[in-house]
Amino acid sequence: MRIFALSIAFLAANLCPVESATARNYDGPIVANGKCDKRSGVEVGDTGFSQFGCNAVVIARSDRGTVLIQFADKSGRDGRILGFAGTIEGKQGFGAERTQALEVERIYLMGGGRPISVSRGTCFLNWSAGKLTSALCDAVAEVEGQEIKAISIISIR
């Protein structure tokens, strides 16, 4: 799993034509470095909260128009990827509005893992002068009778 996380971060950083989190109405992949809030993590049923450490976010749009937001630890210390996929509401270009909301349809609890449909979820992408300043995603799902709550908050440097 660590190799997958590192390969995603490496590919996005090296193949992405965007040098930073700048993207006024840009639809290519965006890679941004930052720091995850300590409230980021996953809770499955009554097992307690598992904190998620990250220092990067990758935002990409699929050919179908859905958006995937992946939070990861580029150093590989955490080894996990937390992903949220859905549809942007309002203007579609990344950075087209100061705050963009995404209705989350699926979450990914690991790189290459199967998607989990959510009962509710939202992401907010905040922009200033065309630059991504923060991303917050949260979602709730149920798998085999267990409620899953996932949240990730990153402030961009």
Side-chain angles (χ1 to χ4, degrees), residues 125-142:
L125 302 174
N126 294 300
W127 305 86
S128 178
K131 288 190 174 216
L132 183 66
T133 59
S134 65
L136 177 149
C137 292
D138 73 335
V140 176
E142 187 173 313

Side-chain angles (χ1 to χ4, degrees), residues 99-111:
T99 299
Q100 291 181 292
L102 178 114
E103 181 182 351
V104 176
E105 300 161 359
R106 298 171 306 284
I107 57 174
Y108 298 83
L109 300 180
M110 65 179 73

Side-chain angles (χ1 to χ4, degrees), residues 14-154:
N14 289 294
L15 297 178
C16 178
V18 177
E19 293 180 14
S20 66
T22 301
R24 184 165 307 276
N25 294 315
Y26 177 75
D27 278 335
I30 294 172
V31 179
N33 297 316
K35 181 172 171 54
C36 258
D37 187 281
K38 63 183 177 185
R39 293 172 289 178
S40 299
V42 176
E43 184 175 340
V44 179
D46 296 329
T47 61
F49 182 76
S50 174
Q51 191 171 7
F52 177 74
C54 73
N55 57 13
V57 62
V58 178
I59 305 169
R61 186 182 303 272
S62 74
D63 292 338
R64 296 180 320 160
T66 57
V67 174
L68 176 61
I69 302 173
Q70 291 184 310
F71 299 86
D73 177 7
K74 290 191 317 181
S75 68
R77 284 188 297 266
D78 189 286
R80 296 180 291 172
I81 290 178
L82 187 53
F84 299 81
T87 306
I88 288 182
E89 300 171 357
K91 294 181 182 175
Q92 294 300 302
F94 294 145
E97 298 183 87
R98 184 172 164 83
T99 299
Q100 291 181 292
L102 178 114
E103 181 182 351
V104 176
E105 300 161 359
R106 298 171 306 284
I107 57 174
Y108 298 83
L109 300 180
M110 65 179 73
R114 68 176 177 83
I116 300 170
S117 296
V118 304
S119 55
R120 65 184 184 276
T122 306
C123 290
F124 292 100
L125 302 174
N126 294 300
W127 305 86
S128 178
K131 288 190 174 216
L132 183 66
T133 59
S134 65
L136 177 149
C137 292
D138 73 335
V140 176
E142 187 173 313
V143 174
E144 297 176 2
Q146 295 284 320
E147 184 177 70
I148 298 171
K149 296 178 185 175
I151 184 169
S152 195
I153 306 165
I154 191 168

